Amino acid sequence: MNAESPIGLVLSGGGARAAYQVGALKALSEILPFATHNNPFPIITGTSAGGINATVVAAYSQHFKLGMKRLENVWGNFHCQHVFHTEFTKLSANSFRWLKLLLGGRQHMSFGLLDNTPLSELLDKVIPYPLIHKAISQGALKALCVTASSYTTGESISFFQARPNTEIWRRHNRRGHPAIINSDHLLASAAIPIVFPAVKVGKQYFGDGNMRFLSPLSPAVHLGADKIIVISVDPFQISTDEQSHPEGYPTIAEIGGHVLDSVFIDSLESDLERLHRINRTLEKLPKKKSKELNLRSIETLTIHPSQDISFIAREHFKAMPAALRFFLRRIGIDGESGDAVLSYLLFEKSFTRELIELGHKDTMAKEEEILSFYNLKS
């Protein structure tokens, strides 16, 4: 690797879909010859569940392959109750609170449709946060960044833990903020609106980092990345008029699926298109002019699922706890419809293991492209 051209890693959000990233990272640890111990990504950024994966990668910067094995062990043995309470009494209580609120009651506390207290306990148990500072101080890591959306100000706040003298950035409705990353930042970044409760960090309340975050590649660029590997959780496809579409009035689950897709996926794809367009423009400008404009070309490599994860989720609906299936059916999620929402909430090992395997296979298929990206191809 060229130290003067640091490579950034961008992990998008997507709830349970983020298991795909684990398989991709496992494949990268096998493809890159130096990745047994050395971190292949000096700059690591993520949002939502991708922010959690990013933090694990950062913590194991000096033991990369070991970190990926531990990450796979967690994701490969997931059950919904590791992320949110699935008991009938808990689900009923939360549903009652929402019903009471809709009928004119007052909200006295922060709550969502699901109680993700178990996730907080899991994060504190499995992530060795002090290793992030150690990796930065010993030069194995340049920066870790996790983005959350402030309900208080409407800004996207990119919390970053980095080497001293790292510049803070501020743009329209988004800014970087130095921090010592902990579970609060991760829970805030992964607080899917309405589904999970908002999280207080400092004096502000935050929700999922993908909300209103129109430039998910920007933190990696601001932190100095000249190349970026993006691991998406949505298959690359171009919509055509010939594609089949559901008929009739959309169910609550179908509407929710479109909302979640717009939060987790659309901004990343748009930002990638914008970056490629800027790169093409810079190719036609004299280097002097590019320098005057303070613009530089950023090379990207994107890893996409080769299959639609929503369709895969249908096959695993029955793996979810019975009480949870009961409530999901009330809003139109039954294994035959509502598969988009299902794919974000299906934290069950039968599903996550299939996604890990898919991520591994898709990434191994890009082995030559990856080696070329790292200038390792002979």
Side-chain angles (χ1 to χ4, degrees):
M1 280 194 308
N2 186 348
E4 297 179 357
S5 300
I7 293 178
L9 173 68
V10 174
L11 298 177
S12 63
R17 292 183 179 208
Y20 177 86
Q21 298 169 349
V22 178
L25 290 166
K26 177 184 177 182
L28 287 168
S29 74
E30 296 169 0
I31 291 170
L32 299 172
F34 56 85
T36 300
H37 298 291
N38 297 324
N39 172 24
F41 322 105
I43 298 165
I44 303 171
T45 73
T47 51
S48 197
I52 295 174
N53 286 341
T55 303
V56 175
V57 175
Y60 285 95
S61 289
Q62 294 174 297
H63 306 279
F64 182 70
K65 202 161 190 175
L66 173 63
M68 296 313 95
K69 286 181 179 179
R70 292 187 173 175
L71 190 62
E72 182 184 10
N73 182 59
V74 172
W75 278 94
N77 292 284
F78 250 139
H79 292 291
C80 289
Q81 55 264 36
H82 293 147
V83 180
F84 47 82
H85 285 292
T86 60
E87 307 92 325
F88 188 85
T89 52
K90 291 277 188 180
L91 294 170
S92 298
N94 271 13
S95 298
F96 178 74
R97 290 193 191 104
W98 275 102
L99 179 61
K100 185 177 179 181
L101 181 64
L102 292 172
L103 292 176
R106 295 184 62 187
Q107 180 180 340
H108 297 285
M109 59 179 290
S110 175
F111 64 88
L113 285 171
L114 298 172
D115 179 354
N116 62 344
T117 302
L119 177 60
S120 176
E121 298 169 354
L122 178 66
L123 294 177
D124 285 334
K125 181 180 178 180
V126 304
I127 301 180
Y129 294 103
L131 292 183
I132 299 171
H133 172 74
K134 181 180 179 182
I136 292 173
S137 63
Q138 295 185 359
L141 178 69
K142 184 175 181 182
L144 164 67
C145 181
V146 176
T147 299
S149 179
S150 171
Y151 287 122
T152 309
T153 67
E155 293 179 302
S156 290
I157 310 296
S158 294
F159 297 101
F160 67 88
Q161 187 170 344
R163 295 175 184 175
N165 303 319
T166 299
E167 290 187 14
I168 297 173
W169 66 91
R170 185 157 201 153
R171 300 293 186 270
H172 177 66
N173 276 341
R174 57 184 173 89
R175 62 187 173 91
H177 184 81
I180 303 300
I181 302 297
N182 59 39
S183 293
D184 288 341
H185 301 99
L186 302 187
L187 289 169
S189 182
I192 300 174
I194 300 179
V195 177
F196 295 136
V199 178
K200 191 174 184 180
V201 179
K203 297 181 179 180
Q204 299 184 40
Y205 280 93
F206 290 87
D208 199 284
N210 289 282
M211 291 190 295
R212 303 184 66 183
F213 192 30
L214 302 180
S215 303
L217 302 179
S218 63
V221 176
H222 284 297
L223 291 167
D226 290 323
K227 291 183 171 184
I228 298 175
I229 290 181
V230 179
I231 305 179
S232 175
V233 295
D234 190 56
F236 179 76
Q237 56 189 3
I238 300 175
S239 179
T240 65
D241 293 336
E242 288 74 25
Q243 289 179 321
S244 61
H245 301 283
E247 298 180 358
Y249 195 83
T251 65
I252 293 175
E254 288 169 346
I255 294 172
H258 281 289
V259 171
L260 290 177
D261 284 347
S262 68
V263 168
F264 287 112
I265 295 167
D266 294 348
S267 294
L268 176 60
E269 300 305 327
S270 296
D271 205 22
L272 280 166
E273 285 186 10
R274 183 163 50 247
L275 181 60
H276 295 158
R277 190 164 57 249
I278 292 173
N279 285 344
R280 289 193 297 269
T281 301
L282 290 176
E283 289 174 0
K284 299 178 180 179
L285 288 178
K287 289 186 178 180
K288 183 178 179 181
K289 187 65 175 178
S290 299
K291 191 173 182 179
E292 289 175 1
L293 295 172
N294 195 28
L295 294 173
R296 68 184 192 277
S297 180
I298 306 292
E299 185 181 351
T300 61
L301 187 155
T302 305
I303 299 171
H304 286 278
S306 58
Q307 301 176 37
D308 192 323
I309 290 177
S310 295
F311 291 156
I312 296 174
R314 293 181 180 181
E315 303 170 8
H316 301 276
F317 176 69
K318 292 183 178 179
M320 302 185 88
L324 184 58
R325 296 201 308 271
F326 172 82
F327 281 92
L328 291 177
R329 285 193 176 101
R330 306 284 78 78
I331 60 172
I333 302 173
D334 57 9
E336 294 182 0
S337 61
D339 47 21
V341 175
L342 178 63
S343 68
Y344 291 101
L345 301 178
L346 222 168
F347 291 94
E348 290 295 333
K349 64 181 182 181
S350 64
F351 178 60
T352 57
R353 286 179 180 180
E354 186 166 348
L355 295 193
I356 291 171
E357 184 179 343
L358 179 63
H360 184 269
K361 183 188 73 173
D362 290 345
T363 306
M364 293 302 295
K366 285 179 170 280
E367 180 173 2
E368 290 191 12
E369 186 179 351
I370 291 166
L371 291 173
S372 177
F373 191 78
Y374 275 86
N375 298 320
L376 294 173
K377 191 175 179 181
S378 57

